[in-house]
Amino acid sequence: MDKATLKREASKWRDWYYKGQRSWSAAHHSSIYGSIVCSVVAGALLQVKGMDAGYAAVLTSIAAALSSAAAAGGFQRKWRSNRLSRSRVDGLLIDLEADDADLPKLARQLKAIIAEHDREVVRDEGNGSTPEAAPATAPTAATPPGDKAAAPAP
């Protein structure tokens, strides 16, 4: 793989991770802070005399649903994984600019970043394990962004 091809490939993955970082950040922070706001407003509504408690019940249900979705969806884990992977690819792109860049080494490093990202996304938070974790040198299941085939979840 030549330098231009590796740079193009790394840039595609960097853009993919950046998009995922922003999307999962929005999902994570919206669900967490949305839950807090709903809970606070529900508590305030219960303090207002003559206010129907049904509104507070609905807001409390929304808060619970947002919290559950954030936890079950692993929004924080996916946000952090995309952020870290984007940063790793940024470092690789900087290394690639060197005149004496070791292209095979950097290509292996990109593969390792992709595989590590996949492991971080599917990691079971309860015990830190990954289901059928692939070795760091075999990201063959991942399809680079922009390809016609299905791309991995950011």
Side-chain angles (χ1 to χ4, degrees):
M1 180 178 294
D2 67 354
K3 191 173 193 173
T5 303
L6 183 56
K7 183 175 183 175
R8 204 170 35 253
E9 189 67 20
S11 294
K12 280 195 264 183
W13 281 102
R14 190 242 181 248
D15 293 345
W16 181 255
Y17 293 139
Y18 183 64
K19 179 182 173 186
Q21 171 189 332
R22 292 182 56 200
S23 299
W24 289 116
S25 176
H28 169 65
H29 289 94
S30 297
S31 61
I32 295 302
Y33 291 114
S35 173
I36 292 168
V37 169
C38 287
S39 296
V40 169
V41 172
L45 288 176
L46 290 173
Q47 300 303 312
V48 177
K49 292 191 190 275
M51 187 60 126
D52 183 12
Y55 295 116
V58 169
L59 287 171
T60 303
S61 296
I62 292 171
L66 287 171
S67 296
S68 297
F75 297 166
Q76 181 181 25
R77 183 182 72 250
K78 293 172 183 175
W79 162 54
R80 292 179 63 169
S81 176
N82 277 277
R83 184 180 178 112
L84 292 170
S85 296
R86 190 242 341 124
S87 179
R88 291 177 189 127
V89 175
D90 283 344
L92 183 140
L93 286 167
I94 291 169
D95 292 344
L96 191 56
E97 292 301 316
D99 290 333
D100 60 345
D102 183 350
L103 298 181
K105 177 183 174 188
L106 292 174
R108 286 190 305 274
Q109 186 179 347
L110 179 59
K111 290 177 186 179
I113 290 168
I114 295 166
E116 179 64 22
H117 174 81
D118 289 345
R119 280 192 299 279
E120 289 170 353
V121 168
V122 300
R123 182 174 52 87
D124 179 5
E125 289 194 25
N127 62 17
S129 67
T130 57
E132 301 178 29
T137 58
T140 56
T143 303
D147 281 7
K148 298 279 186 237

